Amino acid sequence: MELDPAFQSTRAIGWEEIHHDARALARMLKSKGPFLGIVAVARGGLVPAAVLARELELRHVDTICIASYGDGTRQQMSILKRIEGSGAGWLVVDDLVDTGATARAVRAMLPAAHYATLYAKPAGRRLVDSYVSEMDQDVWLIFPWDAPDRV
Ligand SMILES: O=P(O)(O)OC[C@H]1O[C@H](OP(=O)(O)OP(=O)(O)O)[C@H](O)[C@@H]1O
């Protein structure tokens, strides 16, 4: 994998850590709801959204589909699926806010939604309402679903 020069190092995150952090996010969000449902920002938000849907007992789950990165390098953002409406009462979930470009696009789409991520880097953290852990800007996070030995 060719890392974008913006990233100095990598950090692998395991399934257990993701599950632990998604449950921690659910505990933070309990007092912010109730929510009408979850909008997962696919693909990174899909796994956290699955855990949150269980923990917060939400059965209405939808997606916004946006692609910005390909194998460690930033590409032009492409919005593949949108959702209409203000987003009031809805919980938007993603794995990470990095530069904030994705969050800006989602916020423009659903300005009234509550935006939550597992992890936040300094450049984008002000764009999210709730997150569990802060990560260094120059570290490329390797999520378990993107780990090198995937099929
Ligand atoms: O704050 P940003 O700089 O916009 O980066 C964060 C976004 O990048 C990743 O998605 P990616 O575009 O890699 O798509 P994927 O989730 O399908 O892998 C991640 O899941 C966030 O959605």
Side-chain angles (χ1 to χ4, degrees):
M1 186 182 87
E2 193 75 13
L3 252 197
D4 190 294
F7 301 105
Q8 300 296 315
S9 60
T10 60
R11 164 148 152 40
I13 299 174
W15 285 109
E16 296 274 330
E17 192 175 354
I18 294 286
H19 199 181
H20 173 275
D21 289 344
R23 282 184 156 159
L25 184 58
R27 283 193 292 277
M28 291 168 69
L29 292 169
K30 274 214 163 109
S31 60
K32 319 266 183 187
F35 297 103
L36 297 171
I38 294 182
V39 175
V41 183
R43 299 164 300 180
L46 291 172
V47 171
V51 177
L52 288 172
R54 288 275 168 193
E55 298 290 333
L56 300 176
E57 294 179 48
L58 295 168
R59 289 176 180 270
H60 198 152
V61 180
D62 206 340
T63 56
I64 288 172
C65 304
I66 301 185
S68 304
Y69 293 89
D71 234 11
T73 52
R74 173 162 273 286
Q75 298 167 349
Q76 200 180 3
M77 183 187 296
S78 113
I79 301 178
L80 306 162
K81 177 180 173 290
R82 299 174 168 272
I83 290 183
E84 304 298 329
S86 71
W90 284 79
L91 174 63
V92 172
V93 179
D94 206 348
D95 54 352
L96 169 72
V97 59
D98 189 320
T99 64
T102 302
R104 258 181 229 105
V106 173
R107 280 219 176 271
M109 235 182 275
L110 301 176
H114 188 99
Y115 204 107
T117 60
L118 296 179
Y119 311 117
K121 293 187 182 178
R125 71 173 171 231
R126 280 168 202 82
L127 292 159
V128 301
D129 300 304
S130 304
Y131 63 87
V132 179
S133 301
E134 196 166 320
M135 298 287 176
D136 289 339
Q137 195 68 45
D138 61 2
V139 176
W140 175 256
L141 300 180
I142 303 172
F143 290 95
W145 46 85
D146 272 337
D149 64 348
R150 70 196 168 109
V151 289

